Amino acid sequence: MPLSDADGPATPPDPPSPLFRTRVDERGTGHSREAEDVVAEEMPVAMVYNGISHAVMMATPVDLEDFAIGFSLTESILGSPDELYDIEVQCGPTGATVDMTIASERMFALKAQRRNMTGRTGCGLCGTESLEHAIRDIPKVGPHPAITDDAVQKAVGDLKQYQPLQAQTGATHAAAWCDVDGAILAVREDVGRHNALDKLVGHWLRTGRNFERGFALISSRGSFEMVQKSAMVGIGCLVAVSAPTGLAIREARKANQTLIGFARPGRHVIYHCGTTSAPAADAMQENKT
């Protein structure tokens, strides 16, 4: 780390970049060349609550405050952003630490969980102590606005232009919050699909907003963890670019959450339609137009 002078304080380190540039040897049929490539970066991120390390996740080093807040909410460590009193991100050569000060009752509940998750990229189950802890009780989401086929298709068609890291690296997932008409209002990216959703949740809820009107669009499969995380914060409709799993569908049914998969231009499949606050005739069938 450079110093401003021999006796002066150390210069604050530059924030870590989400990108890593490297020289590569590109090969193909009948050709070979040297080139520069840009890949996505990842680093360990430690979630520390009231001085106690609870989880270490591999993540893209950007929007880490959003990540920590969203993770805390989707994992039920916090019930609301108001229970977070302070947050500080410290980055070093081996990773990042997010120090959070939370309400004492929440810290007591966290200690009682006896979970310490040291996971791979975006892994939410590594370190879970028992089968009983692997699948948490999922809350029911309330009636939510019906999402039309046109709204889903608009968001799917627009998502790519909101993914700068994916455009440069081809390695990141995105999670977007969209309004009822399909306009994309916010996006977060990460090498881990869970992390991208956590970052979106943290970004959206920390400013006092909610997920009552609209839907979440994710660039990954609709795994049960994505259903659980989104239901924990009241997201009534989850749209995934790839397929859901059987467990995800069953969890969506328990949560009364609308779950849509294979959301691609011109087609999407509704696997479960939750209770909506308006008629949803157009959204009750597979769109093959």
Side-chain angles (χ1 to χ4, degrees):
M1 182 183 298
L3 298 179
S4 57
D5 55 59
D7 299 319
T11 302
D14 293 332
S17 172
L19 303 173
F20 178 78
R21 288 175 169 81
T22 185
R23 299 293 297 179
V24 297
D25 186 5
E26 184 179 298
R27 302 291 180 92
T29 303
H31 78 274
S32 174
R33 71 185 183 99
E34 290 187 355
E36 183 180 76
D37 198 7
V38 179
V39 299
E41 188 59 272
E42 62 180 335
M43 66 189 304
V45 179
M47 304 292 184
V48 179
Y49 298 92
N50 294 6
I52 298 175
S53 182
H54 172 67
V56 178
M57 311 297 289
M58 299 301 297
T60 302
V62 66
D63 301 316
L64 293 183
E65 285 195 6
D66 290 344
F67 178 34
I69 295 170
F71 174 86
S72 302
L73 292 166
T74 64
E75 292 294 320
S76 300
I77 296 169
L78 297 179
S80 74
D82 294 340
E83 294 172 328
L84 174 67
Y85 299 150
D86 190 35
I87 183 168
E88 182 181 2
V89 177
Q90 298 180 350
C91 295
T94 60
T97 299
V98 186
D99 284 300
M100 289 169 276
T101 303
I102 64 175
S104 57
E105 59 270 23
R106 283 295 178 177
M107 191 63 204
F108 179 81
L110 180 60
K111 289 179 179 179
Q113 287 181 19
R114 298 177 59 226
R115 284 183 79 189
N116 192 333
M117 301 174 297
T118 303
R120 295 181 294 273
T121 300
C123 178
L125 289 179
C126 300
T128 299
E129 294 181 342
S130 68
L131 291 175
E132 289 76 14
H133 290 149
I135 303 176
R136 297 173 290 160
D137 290 337
I138 191 168
K140 286 188 176 294
V141 298
H144 43 278
I147 305 301
T148 66
D149 292 337
D150 287 344
V152 172
Q153 287 296 308
K154 173 176 172 51
V156 169
D158 291 347
L159 181 61
K160 187 175 181 179
Q161 63 184 291
Y162 291 90
Q163 296 179 263
L165 292 181
Q166 171 67 6
Q168 294 179 81
T169 69
T172 58
H173 287 291
W177 180 247
C178 314
D179 69 15
V180 292
D181 297 318
I184 293 176
L185 304 180
V187 178
R188 287 293 183 267
E189 291 184 273
D190 197 278
V191 289
R193 64 187 189 277
H194 308 131
N195 301 344
L197 181 58
D198 283 339
K199 287 179 177 181
L200 175 70
V201 168
H203 163 71
W204 195 255
L205 295 183
R206 68 188 299 189
T207 56
R209 294 173 287 191
N210 60 56
F211 290 116
E212 291 180 357
R213 293 187 56 80
F215 61 97
L217 171 62
I218 55 176
S219 66
S220 62
R221 68 181 183 273
S223 62
F224 91 92
E225 305 102 318
M226 303 298 271
V227 169
Q228 280 197 331
K229 281 179 173 288
S230 57
M232 290 303 301
V233 294
I235 293 175
C237 179
L238 179 66
V239 180
V241 167
S242 295
T245 64
L247 180 55
I249 295 170
R250 293 192 295 274
E251 289 294 292
R253 290 171 180 168
K254 291 179 185 176
N256 194 40
Q257 182 185 66
T258 297
L259 179 62
I260 299 175
F262 286 114
R264 311 288 175 85
R267 181 180 185 268
H268 55 270
V269 180
I270 296 178
Y271 288 88
H272 182 254
C273 186
T275 303
T276 59
S277 54
D282 291 339
M284 290 296 293
Q285 60 184 343
E286 178 181 342
N287 178 0
K288 296 183 178 179
T289 60

